[in-house]
Amino acid sequence: MTDAYTRFIRSAPGGALAKQLGLPRPARLLRRQDRPEPVLGPVVVLGDSAGADRIAHLLLEEGADVRRRFEELRRVGSVIVVLDEISSPAEIGPIMLPLAGAMRSLAPGARVVTISRPAGDEDPGRAAARGGVEGFLRSLAHEMRGGGTANGVLVEDGVALDAPATIGALRFFLSARSAFITGQLLTVSGEAGSATENRSLPLAGRTALVTGAARGIGAAIARTLAADGAQLVVLDVPGAGTELSRLANELRAVPIQLDVTSKGAGERLVSFLRGRGLTLDAVVLNAGITRDKLLANMTPDRWDPVLAVNITSQITLTEALIEAGDVLGEQPRVVSLASTSGIAGNRGQTNYATSKAGVIAFVDALAARLEALGGTANAVAPGFIETEMTARMPALTREVARRLNSLQQGGLPVDVAEAIAFLCSAEAGGIRGETLRVCGQNMVGK
Ligand code: NAD
């Protein structure tokens, strides 16, 4: 799905005009069907710590074309910068600056990934160095060209640099699955999780529920999880029954028609699952609505449904699933849909931003509760994604919103789905209470 402006800019006369006028020229993003190889080579691993050696070794074992210097490389596919042992800001330059000379050699769709430790309150010099890496990364993401991205993995102190979730996050950021994610840092806070055995079907043998699955992002999530090998339970309101059964037929999924805000929805879901002998390994809380109005015009009929669907239903559904005791698998993954509006706020969206900021805090608290069950809870925060929800925006607002990110285009539902599939995977067990933005480094928020 390409918007009209992008189609024009990619035509010969459109491209020439855009160059002349300095208009945005969004690159074509390579997604998994365009670029199946897990790592775009050659990959250069910078850093001289034991951790850097270990990461280089792991990639070599997987058959990647790994180098430790740029040397005379004319084209570079991926760069991994390992800064786990830095203790003063002065140590960043010598490790990072070789990248300066290689920036013009980065291939279209290149990946830069930093691996470092989060700044804590210990030694002030070390905290400054660690914090500095985040600033570097976020700025670099603004400078990437040709659909390239720059993201970081923050591995908490005490967690091994090669913990399953670090390697999983590294692989995810290096792959085409993270095409619309840039300028983001994902924290690994534990060593839980395990390496994915079957790379082509990472969710084989797992059962996942997706709410709001009949269309848009929810349908893309269901399709992506199914393509990764999961058995699906797809849920939507009775009014979307036709689309839901079509999707269920396509994916051989189990459909359930349920309004998540209806009284007793959680208990009905539990008895539905028990009735079919299903246990859920992943729960994707995607159902969501908007009812935008400035606060001056806000009324309960616009406020209440947004809060009810977008956050209250998530609390009641997860409570019912946890309390039932027999409908969740051994290491359950909950992934919830937040929004960049919940991080930065948005004019006309006091109701929506309240609900989505609530989601971000909710997954953080839920993660602590699920840890006792060996599970995780995380959120993804999409920016501008091309769906029916955003198609309803006024044309000019929509066009501006679409360009206001480092990749100068809207994301696709599948981009959100890919992030969710990663957070549902066995590898991601050490990622807890995080909100991962899928927004092309939207200019709003941090
Ligand atoms: P959409 O309107 O296209 O689809 C939402 C789905 O949720 C629909 O199938 C709808 O029937 C279902 N739904 C709504 N209320 C329900 C209820 N009470 N019970 C069960 N199902 C219900 O929306 P989308 O753009 O695909 O958005 C999906 C999620 O992503 C939402 O949570 C949304 O807030 C979030 N999001 C979207 C964007 C974007 O740019 N599209 C950006 C940020 C966040």
Side-chain angles (χ1 to χ4, degrees):
M1 199 201 310
T2 316
D3 63 83
Y5 173 83
T6 303
R7 279 197 300 276
F8 173 66
I9 285 308
R10 288 191 189 145
S11 70
L17 188 71
K19 202 168 179 184
Q20 220 172 10
L21 300 178
L23 297 174
R25 284 185 295 158
R28 190 165 103 60
L29 301 185
L30 303 179
R31 297 187 165 86
R32 74 160 109 167
Q33 70 276 13
D34 313 306
R35 198 245 292 159
E37 67 269 42
V39 183
L40 198 61
V43 47
V44 179
V45 179
L46 300 177
D48 48 18
S49 65
D53 291 343
R54 177 88 185 109
I55 300 285
H57 192 72
L58 275 172
L59 290 166
L60 262 177
E61 276 180 346
E62 288 176 15
D65 175 4
V66 181
R67 319 288 178 95
R68 297 306 304 271
R69 287 186 179 71
F70 289 105
E71 287 157 353
E72 298 300 303
L73 285 176
R74 298 208 354 242
R75 183 182 163 283
V76 177
S78 311
V79 182
I80 301 169
V81 194
V82 185
L83 300 125
D84 57 322
E85 289 184 3
I86 51 171
S87 56
S88 82
E91 291 170 39
I92 300 175
I95 299 175
M96 208 72 101
L97 279 180
L99 178 55
M103 284 301 286
R104 289 192 177 83
S105 312
L106 294 180
R111 297 286 189 263
V112 178
V113 183
T114 57
I115 301 182
S116 59
R117 304 273 186 195
D121 55 4
E122 65 310 317
D123 176 68
R126 189 159 64 218
R130 292 174 169 192
V133 174
E134 298 185 30
F136 173 88
L137 192 273
R138 291 189 208 281
S139 293
L140 173 63
H142 287 294
E143 295 183 17
M144 296 293 286
R145 292 287 169 266
T149 67
N151 292 292
V153 187
L154 294 172
V155 188
E156 277 190 1
D157 283 311
V159 176
L161 209 68
D162 59 357
T166 310
I167 303 304
L170 173 65
R171 279 210 190 94
F172 174 66
F173 285 141
L174 288 174
S175 75
R177 291 176 166 224
S178 56
F180 195 59
I181 303 178
T182 191
Q184 305 308 311
L185 292 126
L186 191 57
T187 301
V188 171
S189 48
E191 290 177 15
S194 53
T196 303
E197 281 161 28
N198 184 346
R199 290 273 175 75
S200 51
L201 291 175
L203 300 177
R206 296 184 159 235
T207 303
L209 166 75
V210 180
T211 71
R215 66 173 200 211
I217 295 174
I221 297 167
R223 289 195 174 99
T224 302
L225 298 184
D228 278 356
Q231 159 75 49
L232 265 295
V233 180
V234 289
L235 178 153
D236 213 300
V237 287
T242 314
E243 294 142 293
L244 190 70
S245 16
R246 204 175 301 133
L247 180 78
N249 285 341
E250 176 193 324
L251 304 179
R252 295 172 193 269
V254 181
I256 167 170
Q257 295 185 13
L258 183 68
D259 179 337
V260 291
T261 64
S262 60
K263 201 162 180 292
E267 290 66 34
R268 283 170 57 202
L269 175 62
V270 167
S271 55
F272 177 88
L273 294 168
R274 281 186 180 143
R276 280 161 187 75
L278 293 164
T279 51
L280 301 176
D281 302 294
V283 178
V284 183
L285 301 164
N286 163 79
I289 57 169
T290 49
R291 297 280 184 276
D292 296 358
K293 272 282 178 232
L294 293 177
L295 186 61
N297 303 319
M298 188 60 72
T299 49
D301 64 319
R302 290 184 171 273
W303 179 275
D304 295 344
V306 170
L307 272 287
V309 179
N310 295 5
I311 180 64
T312 309
S313 77
Q314 299 200 358
I315 302 169
T316 53
L317 281 192
T318 47
E319 246 168 33
L321 291 171
I322 293 171
E323 269 159 31
D326 60 347
V327 291
L328 292 180
E330 273 181 12
Q331 292 168 8
R333 305 268 190 268
V334 174
V335 187
S336 181
L337 269 285
S339 163
T340 48
S341 296
I343 296 168
N346 198 14
R347 187 180 147 83
Q349 289 199 318
T350 50
N351 51 355
Y352 187 72
T354 302
S355 71
K356 295 299 188 180
V359 164
I360 293 169
F362 164 68
V363 294
D364 196 16
L366 185 66
R369 193 157 168 212
L370 283 177
E371 204 180 338
L373 305 176
T376 65
N378 292 287
V380 293
F384 184 96
I385 305 294
E386 307 281 357
T387 65
E388 285 182 38
M389 190 184 264
T390 48
R392 285 197 301 269
M393 289 166 77
L396 189 63
T397 317
R398 186 172 68 235
E399 183 50 24
V400 172
R402 188 182 263 150
R403 303 287 158 225
L404 275 184
N405 63 62
S406 295
L407 297 168
Q408 301 178 320
Q409 58 196 288
L412 301 183
V414 70
D415 298 325
V416 181
E418 294 281 21
I420 290 172
F422 164 60
L423 291 169
C424 288
S425 71
E427 289 177 314
I431 300 170
R432 297 190 291 253
E434 286 286 289
T435 294
L436 175 60
R437 292 174 55 157
V438 183
C439 67
Q441 199 178 27
N442 207 322
M443 302 305 168
V444 295
K446 50 181 186 172

